[in-house]
Amino acid sequence: SEIIRDNPGILDCVKEGIGRVVGMGVPHSKRLLPLMVLIFPTALHGVLHYVISSVVQKLVLLFLKRENSHSLPTESSTSVQSMLDAYFPELIASFAASLCADVMLYPLETVLHRLHIQGTRTIIDNTDLGYEVLPINTQYEGVRDCINTIKREEGMLGFYKGFGAVVVQYTLHVAVLQLTKIIYSTLLQN
């Protein structure tokens, strides 16, 4: 940012942040939306994520407990299995809840990310060519305009740009869960 701007003050970030919150001052970009415009959709995203993950977690726990009550363990594995049955369903339910909420709300998250970084001095890697960066130059007027523009210019798949990172994240999460189950089973048997 020192290249773009001459002699930035030490408190410029605070001044610009306050100016963005109240929607006053001279922002460095006319495309920068005031935070007051972004509060409702951001809060909505957080509440929806919490509600969806809570409901899915309760449903998965209910399903897993019902499945576990049908299978009766043998006497030799009772202590190992009961310890595993006590903790592992919670981990699985939490994983499933986060996955469902993230997948269902990914389009809204895409819109929010684009609105939050609009008008900032943000550059991204050009993953198509691999040797340059691109500035983010968007002119959204709000949430509805962002949704309509993405749908019109990029199609419905535009809402899922970057979804591969979520797939990688949850793939690693599954690997950690499986490794945890194996280690926990081994420790409990010993």
Side-chain angles (χ1 to χ4, degrees):
S1 71
E2 289 182 21
I3 295 171
I4 297 171
R5 234 171 134 187
D6 295 318
N7 298 327
I10 213 164
L11 296 177
D12 278 355
C13 63
V14 175
K15 183 180 81 175
E16 289 177 5
I18 292 171
R20 187 167 183 196
V21 169
V22 297
M24 297 175 65
V26 182
H28 54 82
S29 171
K30 296 195 184 301
R31 297 175 291 134
L32 190 64
L33 294 173
L35 286 181
M36 297 307 249
V37 173
L38 300 173
I39 286 176
F40 176 73
T42 304
L44 178 68
H45 176 268
V47 169
L48 286 174
H49 195 281
Y50 174 76
V51 168
I52 290 169
S53 62
S54 295
V55 168
V56 169
Q57 186 172 8
K58 297 291 184 199
L59 290 173
V60 170
L61 271 175
L62 183 69
F63 176 76
L64 289 175
K65 286 183 180 182
R66 186 174 293 161
E67 285 292 316
N68 284 343
S69 67
H70 292 300
S71 60
L72 297 173
T74 61
E75 294 212 11
S76 63
S77 66
T78 303
S79 65
V80 172
Q81 196 62 32
S82 65
M83 289 296 287
L84 196 57
D85 288 342
Y87 298 110
F88 201 69
E90 293 278 341
L91 292 173
I92 295 295
S94 177
F95 168 77
S98 294
L99 176 64
C100 288
D102 284 348
V103 169
M104 290 173 69
L105 294 175
Y106 195 82
L108 178 60
E109 193 171 346
T110 299
V111 170
L112 286 176
H113 286 162
R114 289 186 183 195
L115 290 174
H116 280 275
I117 65 169
Q118 173 178 293
T120 62
R121 294 179 291 261
T122 303
I123 56 175
I124 58 171
D125 291 328
N126 183 352
T127 55
D128 295 332
L129 302 176
Y131 57 84
E132 65 182 356
V133 293
L134 302 170
I136 297 189
N137 294 321
T138 55
Q139 191 74 34
Y140 305 123
E141 295 176 11
V143 176
R144 186 176 296 141
D145 181 47
C146 184
I147 291 169
N148 291 336
T149 303
I150 292 172
K151 194 184 319 180
R152 182 180 63 247
E153 293 179 2
E154 303 173 42
M156 292 305 287
L157 291 178
F159 291 105
Y160 287 94
K161 281 191 174 179
F163 192 72
V166 175
V167 171
V168 170
Q169 173 188 342
Y170 280 102
T171 302
L172 291 173
H173 197 152
V174 166
V176 168
L177 279 175
Q178 290 302 318
L179 184 64
T180 302
K181 184 177 182 179
I182 291 167
I183 290 171
Y184 196 66
S185 295
T186 305
L187 289 175
L188 286 175
Q189 287 175 354
N190 292 337

